Amino acid sequence: MSKLDKKRGLGRGLSALMSDVQLDTEGAETAPVVRDRVLPIDMIEANPNQPRKSFAIEDLADLTASVREKGIIQPIIVRPIGSDKYQVVAGERRWRAAQNAQLHEIPVVIRDLSDTEVLEVAIIENVQRADLNPIEEAQGYRQLMDSFGHTQEELAKSLGKSRSYIANLLRLMQLPEDVQTLLQENKLSIGHARALITSDNASTLAKKVVEDGLSVRATEALAKGPQEPTNKVAKQRQPKPSTKDADTKALEGDLSAAIGMHVSIDHAASGEGGKITISYKSLDQLDDLCRQLSGF
């Protein structure tokens, strides 16, 4: 994919595909062809590059029962891939449920889309699902940014979310994998996870939070470490912690979300200088950082 393609914002036809928006056709590219019809289910196949790999058996069973009783209410979006063959672009769960319900035909919307647009649509459809856990949603946002060059602002606008919401979710990717797993398994809430992001021993603290059933507020206190000693002499010996203004903290969060690593900004109290510290947790992250800084 060329750099121009990566910076193009939403793909051709993507806005219309996700929200029934009429495309402006004055440019060099035209809107994708749309045809509503009913197709035999055996003419449709799954997309092998579908980002969502797991489908909960219980949820699929409930959807199958609904489809068996009421049919497919919302058409499945497909694209032609050969003679009398079509590939699912959006709605694979409904297509699978229709198979399980032994339907012979299903309503579809046919659109002519490129491989890139199909992948982009599939990711966006997944991150818009209500049953995604925070890590899956953050992974979807990161994939959109890495694969298609979307900015947080573009994602926020196209998905109807605030930029801070997306930035906060992306920060969860900084957590160790075992902590992310606890969040995926609903053993930690997103509030617990956010409290552990800046901790140097997040894995150990996360286990304690789960074992002791700590609240979010207790987790925040745990992540901050032991309180300052009450003895006045001891207090005098303690170095006074430096405070950062809200803008600096927000900038740290934005940079951390953008590169997927912890970023700390230390601005000199007097003057306009300072330093930025980037923390990496593996050599792979270091290699990725070097590629980003070198422009490759």
Side-chain angles (χ1 to χ4, degrees), residues 151-215:
T151 65
Q152 291 181 17
E153 288 79 7
E154 289 170 341
L155 290 181
K157 184 177 180 180
S158 63
L159 298 174
K161 301 181 183 294
S162 68
R163 190 188 65 80
S164 60
Y165 173 86
I166 291 177
N168 285 330
L169 269 185
L170 287 172
R171 292 182 67 214
L172 297 176
M173 303 298 293
Q174 301 172 34
L175 290 166
E177 289 187 6
D178 57 333
V179 181
Q180 293 185 31
T181 299
L182 291 174
L183 183 55
Q184 287 180 295
E185 295 173 349
N186 293 321
K187 294 179 179 178
L188 287 178
S189 72
I190 190 169
H192 290 105
R194 290 178 62 179
L196 297 172
I197 287 176
T198 57
S199 175
D200 293 330
N201 56 340
S203 296
T204 302
L205 296 183
K207 292 178 181 178
K208 181 174 178 59
V209 170
V210 173
E211 291 172 357
D212 297 348
L214 299 182
S215 66

Side-chain angles (χ1 to χ4, degrees), residues 231-250:
N231 183 280
K232 291 184 179 181
V233 176
K235 281 187 176 181
Q236 292 175 357
R237 293 177 181 174
Q238 288 278 46
K240 189 175 182 180
S242 60
T243 58
K244 295 181 180 179
D245 57 65
D247 289 338
T248 300
K249 290 181 179 179

Side-chain angles (χ1 to χ4, degrees), residues 50 52-60 92-93 96:
Q50 156 72 261
R52 189 181 183 96
K53 302 300 182 184
S54 60
F55 297 87
I57 296 177
E58 298 82 4
D59 293 342
L60 198 57
E92 183 168 337
R93 288 178 70 254
R96 287 175 180 267

Side-chain angles (χ1 to χ4, degrees), residues 118-138:
V118 168
L119 176 60
E120 195 171 17
V121 168
I123 295 172
I124 288 185
E125 186 202 25
N126 284 333
V127 300
Q128 287 182 331
R129 292 187 54 78
D131 62 348
L132 285 183
N133 63 60
I135 294 298
E136 289 176 326
E137 191 174 354

